[in-house]
Amino acid sequence: MQSFPNTDVQVLELRAEPNDRRIAEVGWDRAALGTIIRSLGDGAWLGEYFDGQARLPVILRTNLEERPEDLAQAPLITPSGEVVPLGELVTLRTTLVPEQIRRVDHHRTVTLTVDPPPTLSLEDMLAKISNEIVPTLRADLPADANIRLAGSADRLDTIIQTMSGNFLLALLVPLALLSSVKPQMELPIKVANKQMSATVRTVVPVGEERSRQFELRMILADSAFNVGSALEVGLPERDAADALVVPRDAIAVRQTGNYLMRIRRDNTAERVAITSLATDGDLVTIDGPVNAGDVVVIRGVERLQHGQRVTILARDAALQTDPNPDA
């Protein structure tokens, strides 16, 4: 265990205990007298002076001797016009203190650093400190004193909570998908019949030469499954982009070219030639004279003829938007 500042090394400290009543009688307060006392020691900082090239500190310092008896006899001209010695306004006394004064949040502080032995875990060490050492210290400290556990001890509860609620997944992914996976990307995860998502934490951009794979690390927030469970991860084949997609069954595939059937405002079918670009599950990205919001047939496309009148019984929820005025 180590302490900072070192409590074993002590030096003499000169303390000035103010006489508030006498200070008020001569027209001062503690703040003003504090500036005067600092000027009798290392000096009181009054501000800065800029000479056009550099800023110079302005410090008020006296040339009195630094012995306590000399400081106590230092004459002071007060706002009331009275000349009084410093010893009439404060009581000067010396005491042994640590060689440094350390403050945290304006409170005088001593930090104790404890390194547990290799045979004792951090959790057990914290329990021992909290149950045995802290109560003893509180009994010897003033009522307004405070004890705070910080450092690794302060972060232990947060670490345990984070580890218990998050799992780290490490996957080997084909190098061809390296440019499509980015940190912070949300990817779908399937465990048995349960769907969830995982966040990409790290993409290790170094592939293994033989397997042609790179490592992908993801954080899974939902831990409600057994370790060792089989997972299915959905990986993007290309960068995300805006595209026009239709259900796979909406496309009629022919040797002469693919097409879909769009429904006009007069409830007649219109044959529209399209080009299939890419697939994503049951959706197909297409290119052609089709606009978002057009009503297309997703079942029985092959049986419809161009210009045939139809009756719309139901619409797919994904396509229930305002139709194109020209459709």
Side-chain angles (χ1 to χ4, degrees):
M1 183 177 68
Q2 297 178 339
S3 65
F4 177 73
N6 189 353
T7 56
D8 294 332
V9 180
Q10 295 186 333
V11 295
L12 285 175
E13 177 185 77
L14 180 62
R15 292 186 177 180
E17 298 178 355
N19 184 338
D20 292 323
R21 180 176 180 178
R22 187 70 180 109
I23 294 174
E25 290 176 349
V26 299
W28 273 330
D29 55 21
R30 284 195 176 194
L33 187 61
T35 301
I36 295 172
I37 293 177
R38 284 193 296 273
S39 69
L40 299 175
D42 293 334
W45 187 83
L46 301 181
E48 291 181 335
Y49 170 74
F50 184 64
D51 63 357
Q53 296 181 349
R55 295 186 179 274
L56 305 177
V58 179
I59 299 177
L60 176 63
R61 182 184 297 119
T62 66
N63 58 358
L64 291 176
E65 297 291 338
E66 295 185 359
R67 293 180 302 176
E69 53 271 22
D70 295 331
L71 293 178
Q73 297 301 320
L76 304 178
I77 301 177
T78 65
S80 64
E82 184 181 359
V83 178
V84 298
L86 176 63
E88 188 174 321
L89 305 179
V90 297
T91 300
L92 299 176
R93 62 184 182 89
T94 57
T95 184
L96 288 175
V97 296
E99 61 179 348
Q100 293 181 356
I101 297 177
R102 184 167 180 263
R103 294 185 181 274
V104 175
D105 296 332
H106 305 289
H107 298 289
R108 194 161 182 172
T109 304
V110 175
T111 300
L112 300 179
T113 303
V114 180
D115 295 324
T119 56
L120 188 63
S121 67
L122 179 58
E123 184 177 7
D124 293 339
M125 187 65 184
L126 284 178
K128 188 177 184 67
I129 292 175
S130 300
N131 299 330
E132 301 179 15
I133 299 177
V134 170
T136 303
L137 291 176
R138 288 193 187 279
D140 295 334
L141 290 175
D144 58 347
N146 182 41
I147 297 177
R148 186 178 68 181
L149 301 180
S152 299
D154 191 31
R155 296 190 299 268
L156 180 61
D157 292 339
T158 303
I159 293 173
I160 293 177
Q161 182 178 1
T162 302
M163 292 180 64
S164 62
N166 294 279
F167 277 78
L168 180 65
L169 305 180
L171 309 176
L172 292 178
V173 181
L175 275 174
L177 304 180
L178 178 60
S179 61
S180 302
V181 183
K182 303 293 189 296
Q184 306 304 318
M185 179 181 289
E186 294 284 337
L187 297 180
I189 300 289
K190 184 177 181 181
V191 184
N193 295 324
K194 185 176 181 181
Q195 296 284 347
M196 61 190 71
S197 63
T199 304
V200 177
R201 176 183 175 183
T202 306
V203 177
V204 182
V206 179
E208 206 279 327
E209 183 176 359
R210 293 185 178 181
S211 66
R212 304 288 296 172
Q213 295 176 331
F214 68 95
E215 185 175 350
L216 179 65
R217 299 170 186 171
M218 300 189 298
I219 296 178
L220 185 61
D222 191 343
S223 59
F225 62 91
N226 297 324
V227 176
S229 302
L231 304 177
E232 295 182 14
V233 182
L235 297 171
E237 296 180 354
R238 62 190 64 86
D239 292 337
D242 293 332
L244 183 64
V245 297
V246 296
R248 183 191 300 270
D249 294 337
I251 301 175
V253 180
R254 295 290 184 269
Q255 290 183 350
T256 56
N258 298 346
Y259 68 90
L260 54 77
M261 301 300 290
R262 178 170 57 190
I263 306 302
R264 301 190 184 100
R265 286 185 177 273
D266 60 358
N267 286 347
T268 58
E270 176 189 14
R271 180 170 174 167
V272 181
I274 54 95
T275 301
S276 300
L277 302 178
T279 61
D280 183 6
D282 293 332
L283 298 177
V284 180
T285 303
I286 64 171
D287 182 30
V290 182
N291 299 310
D294 288 353
V295 180
V296 298
V297 179
I298 61 174
R299 292 288 189 278
V301 178
E302 296 84 355
R303 297 191 297 270
L304 277 179
Q305 300 296 323
H306 180 77
Q308 183 177 349
R309 184 171 295 278
V310 300
T311 300
I312 300 176
L313 300 179
R315 298 189 182 190
D316 190 290
L319 301 178
Q320 292 184 16
T321 58
D322 293 334
N324 188 293
D326 299 328

